[in-house]
Amino acid sequence: MILDFVIPQRGTSLLEAYDRWRVTADAKVCCDYSLHVAVTWWSDKVKKEMETLAKEKGVNSFKMFMAYKDVFMLQDHELYAAFSQCKEIGAIAQVHAENGDLIAEVFQNISDHNTVNMAQTRGLFSLLQLLRRCVTVCIEPHIASKWYTPFINSI
């Protein structure tokens, strides 16, 4: 079984991105596969499309990003809304747990951007702060019934 991600560009339809990925994959696959769908922005349209994906397309997990500022990163209120929707539709909420704001700031302060590696822009304090924020936004108020953190950077 292969499990891959559909990651739509910010502001684009989750359903259209899912359908495009399926068209590409279905012509090539020779085994069972399933798709997660990333939530890269938030609106009522995204909320409705998540429900459609879960109920009609069989998508049972969605990934949100706390990293990649201005590209995929959701703000805390958007994470809360997305996690709430996952709970409502019975889907697993995944989070790419990094501090996008802090990483962007540290990156700006590094003089030679061509030699930057992940360890230089992601520290242990950032990780601990981020996990606390994730728990505060989504777990503590009992929003996420199922929660998974597939990606945590550490040094």
Side-chain angles (χ1 to χ4, degrees):
M1 171 68 110
I2 304 284
L3 191 56
D4 201 1
F5 283 100
V6 174
I7 305 180
Q9 295 298 311
R10 189 175 205 71
T12 62
S13 166
L14 275 61
L15 280 169
E16 290 174 12
Y18 174 86
D19 289 339
R20 274 194 309 275
W21 200 259
R22 286 293 307 263
V23 166
T24 301
D26 285 348
K28 299 176 184 178
V29 297
C30 59
C31 64
D32 292 337
Y33 78 97
S34 184
L35 298 169
H36 301 282
V37 176
V39 175
T40 57
W41 62 294
W42 189 254
S43 72
D44 287 339
K45 177 183 177 184
V46 171
K47 182 178 180 177
K48 290 174 189 166
E49 288 188 343
M50 287 175 70
E51 183 175 7
T52 301
L53 285 164
K55 290 184 177 180
E56 297 176 19
K57 306 286 186 174
V59 174
N60 66 357
S61 65
F62 294 88
K63 182 175 183 175
M64 282 60 76
F65 291 86
M66 297 175 87
Y68 309 116
K69 185 176 182 172
D70 300 325
V71 180
F72 300 137
M73 189 172 104
L74 298 181
Q75 298 301 314
D76 287 355
H77 69 281
E78 296 169 318
L79 279 171
Y80 184 89
F83 271 61
S84 296
Q85 179 64 353
C86 284
K87 183 176 183 181
E88 181 69 29
I89 62 177
I92 296 170
Q94 297 184 359
V95 62
H96 181 115
E98 293 188 285
N99 189 326
D101 287 320
L102 187 56
I103 290 167
E105 186 66 29
V106 169
F107 185 79
Q108 287 298 94
N109 292 324
I110 294 175
S111 59
D112 184 3
H113 294 267
N114 293 322
T115 62
V116 174
N117 65 44
M118 290 185 86
Q120 290 175 290
T121 59
R122 292 144 171 95
L124 183 58
F125 177 76
S126 173
L127 171 67
L128 296 174
Q129 178 273 336
L130 169 63
L131 289 174
R132 182 173 184 263
R133 193 171 110 223
C134 209
V135 167
T136 301
V137 170
C138 300
I139 303 303
E140 192 171 277
H142 308 289
I143 294 303
S145 59
K146 303 171 199 163
W147 185 65
Y148 176 61
T149 309
F151 184 86
I152 298 177
N153 258 330
S154 61
I155 56 173

